[in-house]
Amino acid sequence: MIGQHIETLDLDALPVGLHRLWLSIIHDGLGRQVRLPVMVAKGRREGPICGITSAVHGNEVNGIPVIHSLLQGLDTQRLKGTVVALPVVNIEGFILRQRRTDDDVDLNHRFPGKIDGREADIFVYRLMELVIRKLDLLLDLHTASFGRVNCLYIRADMTDPQTARMAYLLRPQIIVHNPPHDMTLRGAAAAIGIPAITLEIGNPNRFQREYTKRNVTGIRTVMSAWGMLPKRTVALGEPPVVCASSAWTYTDHGGLLRVSPDVRDLVKQGETIATVYNAFGDAARSYTAPHDGIVIGHSVDPVANTGARILHLGVVNQLPSFVPRED
Ligand SMILES: [Zn+2]
């Protein structure tokens, strides 16, 4: 197997260059080591340690080609600092093509884990100790969940200047101000002083090539701003739409769901956003936007129970304090 087996991640001991590593983290029921794939680009000169994680939810794979393309395209002779990238965090979920672990746990609600507890708690705890604590900034790459679509958007605590700067330079389509929630990887990193954002890249269970290059450019721009790469030469893309908050709307009646607007559409309060039909094709309910906003994501699953998600609506609010100065 390509890649060096390691028991700890000793970044100081690694020589300059690109490293493909298998980091031992837990054992399975046969006593075999379960190993995380880790890519490290170690620069020739000292600098920040930038962490990138992907597939914490096992079927959210759009971040994987972003990591591959970014790391393989870095010139470590010119790089200041180190990039540590985990293409697949939720190894078991990834193999099963599902969000949760094989133990039916959502890893992104278990951080920072526990030294002892369920497998997922220990896994997360060791991930924090072995990798995350070493970082100076973190980008956690996700996608929409199964049965939904997303635009390219970032969840970030826009009241933290470094986090806001990182989010803004990445040039997503939308940024949602969202203080870090307990038990997420982003929240656990922020709690130990690591500026962290969650980048939601499109849709689950697939590679969307149009997003790969854009995100590689965005991450390189952040790395330039942090002094890891020479000053960027490409112009920044369109400024993102900044939302002060966001919320999902839900059905109160089961049936066949049709959502009207597409992602990134602006909707007005009272505008029809979805209709639920009964088994005979008669409209049983229609739903309207609770307020003006921008569509961040929506359901594409026609089968909706009572309480199904309809649409994720952002409250557009370009508050000056949320928008960092251009670099
Ligand atoms: Zn996710």
Side-chain angles (χ1 to χ4, degrees):
M1 196 195 305
I2 300 250
Q4 182 191 346
H5 285 196
I6 54 170
E7 309 307 316
T8 62
L9 184 63
D10 186 353
L11 295 174
D12 293 333
L14 285 174
V16 174
L18 178 60
H19 302 272
R20 297 159 175 85
L21 308 166
W22 289 102
L23 173 62
S24 177
I25 188 151
I26 52 171
H27 293 82
D28 71 11
L30 287 172
R32 294 178 299 188
Q33 290 192 327
V34 176
R35 292 178 179 276
L36 273 176
V38 183
M39 295 177 79
V40 177
K42 171 92 177 267
R44 192 163 60 83
R45 286 181 286 171
E46 290 278 302
I49 302 171
C50 173
I52 310 171
T53 48
S54 172
V56 169
H57 293 133
N59 65 335
E60 300 182 2
V61 296
N62 256 338
I64 300 172
V66 174
I67 286 175
H68 290 166
S69 176
L70 175 76
L71 275 277
Q72 288 171 359
L74 286 175
D75 177 357
T76 50
Q77 289 300 320
R78 299 183 73 194
L79 175 66
K80 281 188 197 163
T82 304
V83 180
V84 178
L86 309 183
V88 178
V89 171
N90 182 356
I91 308 163
E92 294 153 341
F94 172 80
I95 288 166
L96 294 166
R97 296 167 185 77
Q98 67 185 30
R99 176 185 180 87
R100 291 167 172 250
T101 65
D102 61 343
D103 204 15
D104 200 29
V105 173
D106 186 330
L107 282 183
N108 215 26
H109 293 300
R110 309 300 283 209
F111 281 87
K114 288 191 247 174
I115 198 164
D116 54 9
R118 286 178 72 175
E119 178 186 331
D121 296 320
I122 297 173
F123 178 91
V124 159
Y125 176 83
R126 291 182 185 173
L127 179 67
M128 290 295 298
E129 297 303 308
L130 289 165
V131 182
I132 305 300
R133 284 185 186 282
K134 301 180 196 293
L135 307 176
D136 295 311
L137 65 162
L138 171 67
L139 298 92
D140 188 23
L141 312 185
H142 287 248
T143 74
S145 296
F146 186 74
R148 299 178 215 153
V149 291
N150 270 354
C151 63
L152 176 64
Y153 85 96
I154 283 177
R155 280 201 300 277
D157 179 357
M158 296 299 278
T159 61
D160 177 73
Q162 293 221 67
T163 306
R165 188 174 182 220
M166 179 163 42
Y168 208 65
L169 288 172
L170 279 160
R171 281 300 191 263
Q173 293 161 336
I174 298 173
I175 295 173
V176 178
H177 167 59
N178 181 258
H181 291 293
D182 287 345
M183 314 299 275
T184 62
L185 171 53
R186 176 168 69 101
I192 53 173
I194 302 168
I197 56 107
T198 304
L199 182 51
E200 298 278 353
I201 311 172
N203 309 332
N205 297 90
R206 56 182 292 201
F207 285 164
Q208 288 170 282
R209 253 193 256 174
E210 66 269 28
Y211 285 137
T212 306
K213 192 166 172 232
R214 179 176 178 150
N215 285 303
V216 169
T217 303
I219 297 171
R220 289 185 68 105
T221 304
V222 169
M223 289 172 64
S224 294
W226 260 253
M228 300 177 73
L229 290 176
K231 267 246 166 280
R232 69 186 157 77
T233 51
V234 291
L236 286 171
E238 280 283 296
V241 175
V242 180
C243 294
S245 64
S246 71
W248 279 89
T249 55
Y250 294 86
T251 65
D252 66 347
H253 193 290
L256 300 156
L257 174 67
R258 273 196 207 147
V259 180
S260 317
D262 206 346
V263 291
R264 298 176 68 201
D265 281 355
L266 293 165
V267 297
K268 287 271 172 211
Q269 183 177 11
E271 182 180 329
T272 301
I273 52 169
T275 307
V276 168
Y277 298 86
N278 65 20
F280 310 102
D282 311 311
R285 282 282 194 286
S286 84
Y287 295 92
T288 57
H291 51 77
D292 292 0
I294 188 166
V295 178
I296 298 167
H298 65 78
S299 172
V300 288
D301 186 350
V303 185
N305 297 338
T306 299
R309 286 174 194 248
I310 299 173
L311 182 143
H312 186 195
L313 194 58
V315 179
V316 180
N317 192 347
Q318 306 269 10
L319 289 178
S321 59
F322 280 5
V323 180
R325 204 170 40 79
E326 287 284 324
D327 274 35

